[in-house]
Amino acid sequence: MATGRFGVGETLGALNAALRPPPPPSGPGGSVWFKENSARNLRSRDFLAPRGALQALFGDGQVPKDILDGVAALEGPGVPPIQKCTQTQAGLALQLERPTVFEQVLSSLRGYVAPQPTSSTSEHSIILDCVSLHGPKGPDALSLSQLRAVLVADHLAQALRTQGVTVYQVPAVQDPGLRDFLQQLKVSWPSASETSSAPESTVALKEVLRDHAAVPTEDLPPGVVCKVSLKEFLEQQPGLEGFDPNLDICLVTEDQLGALTELQEAAQHHPRNVPLSHSDAESSAGGTACSVIHVVSCEEAFQQQKVDLLWRLVDANAPSRQKHLVCGPVKVVGSPTPLSAPQYYRLRQSQMREASVLKYGVDFVQDDSWNEIIGALTSAAVKFEMLSTAHRSQMSLDLEHTSISTKGTKSGAFVMYNCARLATLFDGYQRGVEQAFSFLGLYPAFPDVSELDFSLLRDEVCKFLVHLSMDFSSYYNRVHILGDQVFDRLPEAGTEPGLGLPGTKSP
């Protein structure tokens, strides 16, 4: 039986250990398993060890029965209960006891939402690099695909800290206008300090790069610092995989050197946590190497691979564990010209204000408090819209007014509006419970968590919230249960199909 707080990292570690012995120091590392996240595949599995990885471990790819049984019976700290583990065409598929997992997680939700304690000696340390924020660019230079990457990075930073991971965010934002725009979006990202050692560090990097230059400096075009062969370097690094085969000659620019400097400083300022280089990680007893995650838009992915390799080329102590989280493109529907991130935000803000005026009247939506409310709603709606599609997939933005309406079925505004409805309903209901029990005894209390049927929860979170909002909105539009006749409507709310409490079956 699982103990304590469930964790994806703990589960992957336990699954890897159950499937294979620890690799030798010179052998390949990495995880055999991965956590499933596509809606289609989540119907049948939660974790998968792909067939290719199984063939590398077992030759014919067939997992011995004793190992298969061991995986299916796996227990341990942070590992959720397992329903079954089966060999399929795709590989080894593992499905959790989802009702039990839902019950345990939702019963102790605060423990999952609140950040876990971290310390300066934590072995879990990540440098989170938001590539789209590098350089002196202002907010108007931020494309929608880059905005998506920024919001993913911000969300990832919060999620990692919730897991107890120490996160160092880079780069520090230099442009005041970009800093103000991120504050509008409620994005928490560090700003550049008044003093920086970047110029000195850049000079040092130029000196190192001259040793790898493919042509003399005087033969370079304007704005290019040097020219190096990344293909030649990559061929000398047999352990590096996943890089674009088209990487060859790189014209190193000042912007790339600036990005390198910020990454290098982030790694050098926090060496006390864990070993950084590959060799140091191997020599430490049980140590975990510092990881770097580059969150990058698809349009910047190729250039960021160059920065990754340049860092490894100029710095022997560069972290060996670097991952590139590439966000898919953003396609705009209903706009003949490309839209910048601030233009998109202002459009959504205008639509949110118009929707509020339509709902509450122009005289009501005027004071400063409403400006704050509309700003918060716009930020939340933009985040919901950008994050509700899997980060790797292309997402489509509908810029029409209906996409931000509380009457629609896909927008963040729609979910927030119905969330407010539910909050008002539950608040009024709770007051009714207290008053009715005192006088009439007509209001039953909410059921205990142990009485809920968590097997009814099947969708991913965003889809579940949208579908729940659709069901509630449809019912509320027909039966105004928040009116004065709430006592008369109470039996209907309890028996209406699909409108019981989340996880409860209506009669």
Side-chain angles (χ1 to χ4, degrees):
M1 177 62 64
T3 58
R5 191 174 184 270
F6 297 148
V8 173
E10 293 90 335
T11 304
L12 288 173
L15 288 173
N16 285 322
L19 194 59
R20 68 175 186 185
S26 60
S31 177
V32 176
W33 295 83
F34 70 88
K35 174 70 179 71
E36 205 43 275
N37 59 17
S38 79
R40 183 170 59 109
N41 292 334
L42 280 170
R43 297 170 189 165
S44 59
R45 62 187 186 234
D46 295 291
F47 292 86
L48 179 73
R51 183 171 55 180
L54 297 180
Q55 289 173 340
L57 289 175
F58 303 105
D60 60 356
Q62 291 297 313
V63 180
K65 186 178 184 303
D66 59 329
I67 295 180
L68 191 65
D69 292 342
V71 172
L74 190 63
E75 296 181 351
V79 180
I82 296 171
Q83 182 189 76
K84 61 181 179 179
C85 182
T86 54
Q87 185 114 27
T88 67
Q89 287 293 322
L92 202 58
L94 183 141
Q95 188 165 11
L96 302 177
E97 286 280 2
R98 293 186 183 178
T100 305
V101 173
F102 289 146
E103 179 177 0
Q104 293 192 35
V105 170
L106 295 178
S107 299
S108 54
L109 195 56
R110 290 182 182 272
Y112 288 87
V113 175
Q116 295 298 294
T118 60
S119 68
S120 60
T121 59
S122 170
E123 289 189 352
H124 299 282
S125 178
I126 285 179
I127 296 174
L128 186 61
D129 175 27
C130 184
V131 176
S132 299
L133 296 179
H134 279 286
K137 70 179 68 169
D140 291 329
L142 206 63
S143 70
L144 292 180
S145 296
Q146 291 173 322
L147 173 62
R148 185 186 190 188
V150 170
L151 295 178
V152 168
D154 177 62
H155 181 73
L156 183 58
Q158 297 178 48
L160 288 171
R161 289 190 175 110
T162 300
Q163 296 293 323
V165 177
T166 302
V167 180
Y168 304 107
Q169 295 163 271
V170 294
V173 177
Q174 300 177 24
D175 184 78
L178 181 56
R179 181 180 61 241
D180 293 342
F181 180 61
L182 295 181
Q183 289 176 350
Q184 273 188 311
L185 287 167
K186 307 296 188 291
V187 169
S188 178
W189 207 266
S191 300
S193 60
E194 295 296 328
T195 59
S196 173
S197 61
E200 294 81 359
S201 302
T202 301
V203 170
L205 284 176
K206 288 179 180 179
E207 292 294 330
V208 176
L209 281 170
R210 284 197 181 99
D211 297 334
H212 302 276
V215 297
T217 306
E218 56 269 17
D219 297 333
L220 296 172
V224 175
V225 176
C226 67
K227 187 176 182 180
V228 298
S229 174
L230 293 180
K231 183 176 183 179
E232 180 180 336
F233 172 73
L234 193 55
E235 289 172 349
Q236 299 169 0
Q237 313 295 320
L240 294 182
E241 298 177 349
F243 286 89
D244 194 303
N246 295 314
L247 285 169
D248 194 355
I249 298 297
C250 175
L251 300 178
V252 183
T253 64
E254 292 284 355
D255 286 343
Q256 288 174 326
L257 283 184
L260 274 178
T261 299
E262 290 177 290
L263 289 168
Q264 207 170 32
E265 287 185 347
Q268 291 172 351
H269 286 172
H270 309 286
R272 65 187 181 277
N273 294 317
V274 286
L276 290 176
S277 69
H278 183 66
S279 58
D280 289 341
E282 288 178 356
S283 62
S284 63
T288 303
C290 178
S291 299
V292 181
I293 300 178
H294 305 281
V295 182
V296 56
S297 66
C298 58
E299 60 202 38
E300 300 169 306
F302 185 73
Q303 293 299 322
Q304 186 57 29
Q305 289 193 20
K306 295 181 182 180
V307 175
D308 182 332
L309 289 176
L310 283 172
W311 191 7
R312 299 172 194 265
L313 185 148
V314 302
D315 187 354
N317 293 318
S320 62
R321 299 185 180 183
Q322 300 190 41
K323 301 294 183 182
H324 295 240
L325 191 155
V326 181
C327 299
V330 177
K331 179 182 178 182
V332 178
V333 178
S335 176
T337 58
L339 218 62
S340 70
Q343 287 174 323
Y344 163 61
Y345 178 86
R346 289 193 293 268
L347 176 64
R348 286 292 185 244
Q349 186 179 44
S350 173
Q351 291 172 340
M352 187 69 75
R353 183 175 294 277
E354 289 181 22
S356 301
V357 168
L358 185 63
K359 182 70 178 176
Y360 300 104
V362 65
D363 295 333
F364 196 69
V365 187
Q366 282 187 337
D367 58 20
D368 292 339
S369 62
W370 264 101
N371 290 334
E372 292 183 18
I373 292 171
I374 290 173
L377 289 174
T378 303
S379 169
V382 166
K383 288 182 178 180
F384 188 94
E385 196 166 32
M386 286 281 183
L387 298 176
S388 58
T389 301
H391 72 274
R392 293 191 300 263
S393 305
Q394 174 180 294
M395 68 167 297
S396 296
L397 281 182
D398 184 357
L399 301 182
E400 298 296 328
H401 285 265
T402 53
S403 65
I404 201 72
S405 169
T406 59
K407 299 295 185 183
T409 59
K410 296 182 179 179
S411 72
F414 174 72
V415 172
M416 288 186 291
Y417 180 63
N418 282 285
C419 178
R421 277 177 166 177
L422 284 169
T424 303
L425 173 63
F426 288 164
D427 181 65
Y429 185 85
Q430 185 59 37
R431 283 186 274 108
V433 169
E434 297 168 358
Q435 296 171 3
F437 272 139
S438 301
F439 301 103
L440 303 175
L442 296 179
Y443 275 65
F446 282 122
D448 187 75
V449 173
S450 61
E451 300 176 24
L452 303 182
D453 183 1
F454 289 95
S455 65
L456 298 177
L457 294 178
R458 301 180 185 277
D459 287 323
E460 296 178 67
V461 174
C462 285
K463 291 182 179 179
F464 170 72
L465 291 175
V466 170
H467 292 163
L468 177 64
S469 298
M470 289 171 62
D471 289 339
F472 184 75
S473 180
S474 175
Y475 175 73
Y476 181 80
N477 286 335
R478 290 186 289 109
V479 183
H480 294 278
I481 56 177
L482 297 185
D484 295 333
Q485 305 301 320
V486 67
F487 265 89
D488 298 334
R489 298 300 188 186
L490 179 62
E492 296 179 34
T495 58
E496 186 73 12
L499 280 177
L501 292 173
T504 63
K505 292 180 178 177
S506 299

